[in-house]
Amino acid sequence: MAQAKKAAARKKTATRKKAATASKAPAVPKSVSNAEAKTKLQEKAVGQAERKVAQAQAKLDRQKKKVDTENGKLAKLRTDLATKRDKAKGKATAAAKRAVDTARGKLNTQRLKLQDLRGEAKLIRAEIQAGKKVVTRENKKLRTAQRNLTSKLREYQRKLAKKEKAEQKKAEQKAKRAARKSTAKKSAAKRTTAGKKTTTRAKTKKAATRKTPARKKAARRAPARKKAATGSAS
């Protein structure tokens, strides 16, 4: 009993293992997983490059605002210098001349400041251009990685389909073999039953043939008895 229980338990575990292996999807090959990892890394690289470009663009927008404000200041200083010059022309005093000089100095400093800001904006534009080039390069790499991944996936799917087809074929062959075995068993069973029937028929025939002579003997004996009876009566 204990051995039978152990055997049943082993059978159960084996069936469970088989079911688990059947339900589990086949492991993804290393080439596909590597291609996926490369694609993900490349996507990250593209994202980083795009973020850098976006940051530089935001910086440029801020710089443009600064340039615009400083341009406004420069325009005011120009008008201020023009008015002071006009005043100095009307009244050529030392104070008027000093006012013109200070206004000119302020204008020059503002021009220099604006020049610096424009130079910074130029640098930011160059940074954006470089960033865009990096983005295009990384996008190109990403496209190649994606193509590689799709080709690897197709190859893997082809292999899976081939394997599945082979397994299906095996299962069909197994089913056919089982069907043939069952039909063979059925035919054998039919033959055995037919043989049994024929043997029983033969036996019954033999029994009948054995019984008939006895009846004939009895029939033969009957007239003899009748003759004896008639002889004794006379």
Side-chain angles (χ1 to χ4, degrees):
M1 284 290 285
Q3 282 179 353
K5 278 181 181 178
K6 279 180 184 177
R10 276 196 218 103
K11 205 172 184 181
K12 273 185 183 178
T13 49
T15 49
R16 276 176 196 163
K17 278 179 183 177
K18 273 183 184 177
T21 50
S23 63
K24 268 184 188 177
V28 178
K30 207 171 184 181
S31 58
V32 174
S33 58
N34 285 339
E36 278 179 353
K38 276 182 184 177
T39 307
K40 280 176 184 176
L41 279 169
Q42 200 54 41
E43 279 172 359
K44 278 183 183 178
V46 169
Q48 282 174 357
E50 282 174 350
R51 276 196 296 276
K52 277 182 181 178
V53 170
Q55 284 167 4
Q57 192 64 49
K59 200 177 176 183
L60 182 66
D61 292 337
R62 286 196 296 273
Q63 198 70 15
K64 276 179 181 177
K65 280 178 184 176
K66 280 181 185 178
V67 168
D68 289 337
T69 51
E70 294 302 322
N71 258 326
K73 284 178 185 178
L74 186 67
K76 278 180 185 178
L77 286 168
R78 273 178 186 153
T79 52
D80 187 38
L81 180 63
T83 52
K84 278 173 181 176
R85 270 179 185 165
D86 290 336
K87 277 181 184 178
K89 278 176 187 177
K91 289 177 182 179
T93 55
K97 278 180 183 179
R98 275 199 303 275
V100 169
D101 289 335
T102 51
R104 195 182 285 121
K106 279 180 183 179
L107 185 69
N108 287 332
T109 51
Q110 190 61 30
R111 271 179 187 158
L112 288 167
K113 196 178 180 181
L114 194 61
Q115 200 174 345
D116 289 339
L117 286 169
R118 279 174 181 160
E120 282 174 17
K122 204 175 182 180
L123 285 170
I124 293 163
R125 280 195 192 95
E127 192 184 331
I128 287 164
Q129 288 299 316
K132 280 178 180 176
K133 279 178 185 176
V134 170
V135 167
T136 50
R137 191 167 64 243
E138 294 299 328
N139 269 319
K140 202 175 180 181
K141 282 181 185 177
L142 177 64
R143 281 195 295 275
T144 51
Q146 282 170 346
R147 276 200 297 273
N148 187 31
L149 175 62
T150 48
S151 65
K152 289 274 190 294
L153 276 169
R154 275 176 194 160
E155 195 180 338
Y156 172 55
Q157 281 164 0
R158 272 200 297 272
K159 280 180 182 176
L160 272 179
K162 204 175 180 182
K163 199 177 180 183
E164 202 176 330
K165 208 174 182 181
E167 281 174 4
Q168 199 175 350
K169 203 174 181 181
K170 273 184 186 177
E172 281 172 4
Q173 283 173 355
K174 203 176 181 182
K176 278 177 184 176
R177 280 198 295 272
R180 278 201 293 271
K181 276 182 184 177
S182 66
T183 48
K185 276 181 183 177
K186 280 176 185 176
S187 59
K190 278 179 184 177
R191 279 199 295 274
T192 50
T193 50
K196 279 177 184 177
K197 279 178 183 177
T198 50
T199 49
T200 49
R201 278 174 194 163
K203 279 177 183 177
T204 49
K205 273 183 183 179
K206 274 182 183 178
T209 50
R210 278 174 192 165
K211 282 174 184 177
T212 47
R215 282 175 191 168
K216 280 178 183 177
K217 280 177 185 177
R220 281 174 195 163
R221 280 173 192 166
R225 280 175 191 165
K226 278 179 183 179
K227 279 178 185 179
T230 51
S232 62
S234 61

